[in-house]
Amino acid sequence: MTLLSVALLLGLTAVSVRGQSPVYGQCGGQGWTGATTCASGSTCVVSNPYYSQCLPGSSGGGGGGSPTTTSSSPSSTAKTLKFVGVNIAGFDFGCGTDGTCDPTKIYAPLSQYGGPDGAGQMQHFVNQDKMNIFRLPVGWQFLTNGAQTGTLNSANFQKYDALVQACLNTGASCIIDIHNYARFNGQIIGQGGPSNDVFASLWSNIASHYSGQSRVIFGIMNEPHDVPSITTWAATAQAAVTAIRNAGAKSQMILLPGNDWTSAAAFISNGSGDALKKVVNPDGTTTNLIFDVHKYLDSDNSGTHAECTTNNIQSAWAPLATWLRSNGRQALNTETGGGNVASCQTYLCQQIAFQAQNADVFLGYVGWSAGAFASDYVLSEVPNGSTDTSLVAKCISPTSGSQHGSTGQ
């Protein structure tokens, strides 16, 4: 064989290799212009019209040919996420990203307190959309009536607990989410602000109230950001976990958030994963310690624009899935969403399909947001009576078929 022939052969081989998607990589879907064949040992599997993924299998020759179509039967390659739901916001209104919260600005999403019917919204989402989880954001200052303490204000906590009980009455799981960005009035918890002991006291008092509720999930903090030391933040998270467990909540899920606004894309690179994986239960295990991640789909991933520009798969979800799998851990996407527009229906359906195909490491997603938001809010998921917003109907609802391309689960 001549040197020219060898060079040509090597060049063709390189092109062939570069033209294959890796295991768990994307290999098809509407608008996809990348590789449509898979690395050896995996097969291109259709999840829904918007997304196909290279999944481990017996393709032998690299997964060439047309993608395999999956059905919605439990025995097929299609998978089902454990949790799907929506945020029910309102008790977090008045909170800024600097951790300042004005308790007088909350808008309780409960009709008995003059707000929207959050209880009715949750019943709708459970009965019509088969959702099974709700995240209930609340400002630390509301729970303590403005005091930098772990002691709960009984009148304010009674109002918030009414929302928790309304959630539990649906049969769904309910995330208690302290919505303070790792801060209290501008100062970072454990790093110049409230001490870890004060934060632990807050969680001890909350957990003792719900210690017997298996469907309560403790989301220890919404979106830490610009935290100087991730290892110091991990120590703060550890204090909260220990307090929750010692308060009698021995087995419920606890969500551990990382830095950079709990970014799924930055969870590995900013050191959050390595730091938080060392947080343990008092018995030394990591059982039901779940990583809390967020990801929006607009141009700057801020969740402030109607249009979506990415499915986040290659930049965030694929590398995170690999990392979680290699570390034997799981994550829950507690904030995601977009506008009620066609671009978000496309990209969010792709993101959801990917998470469903990787349901061994991703427990599910919670859309942002319903509750006390007005219907013209850019990311509104507030139903109009019995009618869902278009994004909920097309992608977020489990009955939309977004997880596996069928008409239901």
Side-chain angles (χ1 to χ4, degrees):
M1 183 179 292
T2 66
L3 290 176
L4 179 59
S5 298
V6 171
L8 288 172
L9 179 60
L10 290 174
L12 288 172
T13 301
V15 170
S16 175
V17 171
R18 285 196 299 270
Q20 290 184 334
S21 287
V23 179
Y24 297 110
Q26 186 172 359
C27 55
Q30 292 181 14
W32 175 246
T33 58
T36 56
T37 59
C38 298
S40 180
S42 63
T43 301
C44 189
V45 178
V46 174
S47 182
N48 67 23
Y50 304 101
Y51 187 74
S52 299
Q53 182 184 15
C54 294
L55 297 176
S58 57
S59 64
S66 300
T68 301
T69 302
T70 58
S71 72
S72 59
S73 65
S75 62
S76 74
T77 308
K79 302 174 184 178
T80 301
L81 293 165
K82 183 175 182 180
F83 295 114
V84 175
V86 170
N87 280 264
I88 306 296
F91 278 109
D92 56 315
F93 285 16
C95 288
T97 58
D98 61 351
T100 57
C101 295
D102 183 350
T104 68
K105 297 292 180 63
I106 68 101
Y107 189 23
L110 291 165
S111 55
Q112 64 260 46
Y113 297 122
D117 185 13
Q121 291 179 23
M122 290 186 283
Q123 289 287 351
H124 162 85
F125 286 129
V126 169
N127 295 334
Q128 179 167 308
D129 296 300
K130 311 306 178 187
M131 294 184 184
N132 63 359
I133 191 169
F134 299 102
R135 184 169 177 255
L136 313 175
V138 62
W140 182 347
Q141 286 91 331
F142 177 76
L143 294 177
T144 62
N145 202 31
Q148 185 176 296
T149 178
T151 302
L152 302 173
N153 176 273
S154 58
N156 286 3
F157 182 71
Q158 182 179 17
K159 291 181 179 179
Y160 178 69
D161 180 58
L163 183 64
V164 178
Q165 297 305 322
C167 176
L168 290 171
N169 287 341
T170 68
S173 294
C174 311
I175 302 173
I176 297 174
D177 160 54
I178 304 299
H179 215 75
N180 277 68
Y181 305 90
R183 291 159 168 78
F184 192 102
N185 292 346
Q187 295 184 307
I188 299 173
I189 305 164
Q191 301 185 51
S195 68
N196 287 351
D197 288 343
V198 171
F199 187 53
S201 173
L202 174 72
W203 272 113
S204 178
N205 289 325
I206 294 172
S208 64
H209 188 83
Y210 299 110
S211 60
Q213 290 286 358
S214 62
R215 287 184 285 109
V216 165
I217 298 170
F218 303 105
I220 63 172
M221 183 55 60
N222 175 70
E223 294 188 347
H225 66 88
D226 301 294
V227 174
S229 170
I230 190 60
T231 55
T232 304
W233 171 249
T236 300
Q238 179 66 73
V241 168
T242 301
I244 290 168
R245 295 300 188 221
N246 287 344
K250 302 294 186 182
S251 60
Q252 291 97 323
M253 288 172 52
I254 301 175
L255 305 181
L256 307 178
N259 206 354
D260 291 326
W261 311 91
T262 320
S263 169
F267 189 78
I268 303 167
S269 61
N270 68 16
S272 294
D274 284 340
L276 291 173
K277 72 181 183 181
K278 298 172 184 175
V279 176
V280 296
N281 295 309
D283 63 2
T285 68
T286 57
T287 304
N288 280 335
L289 299 184
I290 308 300
F291 297 126
D292 192 356
V293 293
H294 293 175
K295 208 76 181 84
Y296 287 98
L297 299 91
D298 51 355
S299 58
D300 58 1
N301 281 272
S302 65
T304 60
H305 305 92
E307 295 292 339
C308 295
T309 62
T310 176
N311 59 24
N312 295 308
I313 292 170
Q314 296 305 318
S315 62
W317 298 116
L320 182 56
T322 299
W323 185 91
L324 290 168
R325 204 169 279 118
S326 66
N327 284 277
R329 301 298 293 270
Q330 294 176 312
L332 178 61
N333 181 10
T334 61
E335 271 192 39
T336 192
N340 291 288
V341 295
S343 63
C344 293
Q345 292 172 19
T346 296
Y347 287 120
L348 185 58
C349 279
Q350 291 173 354
Q351 177 176 287
I352 289 171
F354 178 86
Q355 291 174 340
Q357 290 288 4
N358 293 272
D360 59 317
V361 292
F362 296 125
L363 293 180
Y365 56 91
V366 188
W368 184 271
S369 175
F373 280 109
S375 59
D376 60 354
Y377 168 55
V378 66
L379 304 187
S380 177
E381 295 170 6
V382 177
N384 180 12
S386 61
T387 303
D388 283 320
T389 65
S390 61
L391 191 65
V392 170
K394 295 291 186 178
C395 285
I396 294 173
S397 170
T399 62
S400 68
S402 57
Q403 290 192 42
H404 40 61
S406 71
T407 57
Q409 288 194 47

